[in-house]
Amino acid sequence: MQEELEDIRQEYATSLEELTFNSKPIISNLTIIAQENMQAAEVISRTIEDHIGKCAPGHKLPVLYLLDSICKNIGSPYTTLFGRNLYRTFTDAYTLVNDAIRKKMHELFQTWKQPVPSTGQPLFPNEPLRRIENYLNKARSAVLEIQQNYVPPFRSTPPTQHARPAYAVPDAARGYPSVTAAPASAGSGYSAYAQAPESGNGYQGYVENKPAAAAPVTKASLTAELSTLIELTREKIQDNPGDVDAGTQLSALTQLFQIVSSSDLPQNQLQTIKDELNVLAEDLRRNKNKRKAAMAADAAPPPAKRQTPMWTAPTPASVPLLPQQQPVNQLNLGALQPDLLAQLLASVPQQPQPQQQYASNANALTAALAGIPGFGLPIQQQPQQASANDAAALFASLMSAGLINAPAAPARQNRMLEKIMGPDVELSNKFIQKPRPDFVFLLYDSLPLLCGTCGRRFADTERDRKIRDAHLDWHFRVNKRLRDDSRGQSRSWYLGEEAWIQSADADADSSKTGGGAERAKKMQEVSQKYILTPKEASVVNTPCPICMEKFKSVWNEKAEDWVWMNAIKHSNGKIYHGTCAFECGLL
Amino acid sequence: MDLPGFGNDATSKTVNTLTLGSQSEWRFEVALDKTVNVKILQGHAEIFGTELALGHTYQFTATKLSIYTWLGCQIEWEGEVLGEYTSDESAMPNYANLHFALEKLRAQAAAIDTQYIKKEIGAAATSGQPDREAEGPKVLIIGPRFSGKTSLAKILTAYASKMGRSPVAISLDPKESMLSLPGTISAATFATMMDVEKTETWSSSATTGPMHIPPKNPIVYYYGSDSPTDNIRFYKSVMNRLSLAVSSRIAVDAKARISGTIIDATGILDPKVGYDLIDTIVADFSVDVVVTVGNERLYNDLLKRYNARQNMTVVKVPRSGGVVETDASYLRSIQQRLFKEYFYGQPKFPLSAFTVTVDISAVTVYKRAEQSRLVSSSALPIGTELSTAHESLITKTAASAALQNSILALLYASPSDSEEDIAESSVMGFVHILDVDETKHKMKVLMPIKSRLPAQVYLMGSYHYME
């Protein structure tokens, strides 16, 4: 029993990882799982609470929606279980999220106060609801106060507090770097950072000085995030010392860190870099999980430990000792992830970059540039290198052609494609014989979204995310139908030649094929088709060639004539029952 | 208290965990009447290129499988295996490279096929360009028996669909059909993932309701026995018909067109019959990539034969170390299981079948005509081929007690069609003759679906099934 619960907890925790945006199918699915595992209600509720506590602020809202969905759809015992810690769960999340999400949380809370029709009582026990209400009221007045007293942006308070209403002071110790609350006028506070040491060890200096530094939030959060990434990359290298790409990535990250911390970058470039780092962070986190899986040889560590929250800023204890400073010129731009970093580095005009590397990577650059919205436009000092200019020009022309507006993920897709189209890939014994696992890693890297039910993979693009949603919806429908429908299934007839040749679209998307609902609907449709009762005596008595039953003539008001219902005339001249023909794939 | 069947069956209750390092595989065999449950706890794992979901329990019966991992994984399994071991020697890296080389050809085709671009990217992308079609690689996989051809075909298909392609997989081996029953040859596009629990048939064909893994829709032709040499003329005839269906499909289905075809040929390599057959396959399916599996002589022979041809590439890949040689009795029992599953499904996903009793005269049964004694037309003196060409490929046979227990293929053909048309018709499904009562003139027939017995033509092969 204990093991079973632990299994459920782990599975549920894994599934929760998927819930990073407001996805109805995922939430429905997780709700159903919660419903089906009532015996594990306590474990599941705790898993959800833990997850809300440690997931990225941007991901908290959908998980709260899940909590809401479970309580509203299932009710007891979940309402009681969640009710216990509701105040903490809700308020801890509230302190960490941005204003937009807070607004949503307000709205969510309002619905909790409404009486549930079945009981006439609010969803949760009164006590936590009252406390949350109080809290929210205080929060609102605190926000007002802050707005009135707001002195942007060079106060000598720690930067994180700008993002945080006064009531959240106890949480400030967590040092969560705010992503969203960057003051817009962040242009001039860089001088403190310009003096940051050039060496990699300077990082520690930064952390120590952090409380005194009066820097704009964005820059601080960026450096903090960079350090987290550096740490993760180092972990990756420790786990797999032969990983050349990670090595390159590390040195690139290190440099990027220095650049960001030591130079004056305009706000929009900081944001660009930040966006790119988010992509990279996701990659790293995924890799980390994969690695953990691979490394867990002796005992599987409980996920609670495995999932160290990535999004909190590193405390000094976790700051890595960076390796000896790598010369900037040794960047290997051709490697896996690093070409993304190369883009970032390229966007920093002050750093001297070796010209030939740009020249040899101009194409790769252009492709990867596609992933960086806005890059290339705000460069203040034009880079000296002609090739970098070329890249920027290329980018500009692509942009004007309307080809570039895609988010970062397609860049990853493009890398896969680029790699495949590379000159070394050819259909020859030579290529086949030399193992190239880097291809497969890149393949999986370009398809990071995984369906937890069947293992199907999707790219992290807008288009694929839509396909993924449809796919999850489809799973949901299938599961529901399989559960609801007690009638047994039977093997269908195979399609006929004509039907098979034309069946391209039926195969194209899992959300369209095999769906019982669609099938039933189609059956209904074809059963309503009719033809006028034939006049020829020979035809009148010919039965349906499939079921050998004769057609019945009925009066049809619409046609004002006698018709055969559920009948179609096939292109081969024969008349079939619509449903028979559909069953046999003649339609 | 020890009751048989209720005791602590130590072997099946033990849960085993094992950890695979990166790029290694776990190979295991499950006996016909045993079941093994496998769950991937962590990491990344795939069966013949199809990735397994984490934490999902997969059930395997009567199979010989390998679970491969690129990055390492942790597997939990329970149940009784015939044998299991871990190996870090795999041909998988070679197979993956082959996939990427093919993928390059697909990407090239995708870049110029206007119909494909229109559909996938939007009409605007091709405006002003002349309509142009391009075909992806048409791959033929050849190798001796037990070289892992079918596994390679599955891997290439799975990887292609993982990357969003929709390749046409074609199985030309009647003894271990794809998505159908023994004795058939078939083709299907794989736009969605395979069902790894149904390894023998690659996936499941459609049923009347929903399924957890989308079913695949095959086009099926009935040959009627295990070996193409039993009646090479009939075999070539149905194969030609299959190739026509595939090329018609490719003509209208741009996605399948640029994805290309992956053909799993039979393991017959007798230089006399086999090479002639390979020539026919190459011609019928416009093959432009020949992959030989683990046989140097075969590779060199085919290299000589085809390399001079334009747009034709012959490559070789090593045989996978995991391939297990099986004997005829194993094949029989697997085939019996496939018959059963066609009608009744698997324990995890049962299907209902239905029995009808009909008048013997209501059923029109044909069987393959006996083949002339000369095995291959290429062995005949020039000109004599004509003498057999007009002979009918099938003959009508009286419905009699001889039908008892046999599996009949129901064809998309009516009794009034010409023998020529009937012989070329595709398969609608299968029925099983449970009982023939000649005195009462009645026949009991098992059907997969609840309906009247279709009044179409039935083709009899050499397969019987005992319930």
Side-chain angles (χ1 to χ4, degrees), chain A residues 6-20:
Chain A
E6 177 59 21
D7 280 356
I8 292 175
R9 192 185 65 75
Q10 288 203 10
E11 272 179 44
Y12 211 85
T14 316
S15 314
L16 278 173
E17 299 287 326
E18 297 256 307
L19 189 53
T20 55

Side-chain angles (χ1 to χ4, degrees), chain A residues 452-464:
Chain A
T453 312
C454 69
R456 186 174 163 192
R457 278 181 180 274
F458 304 88
D460 194 4
T461 61
E462 200 181 324
R463 180 170 172 260
D464 256 38

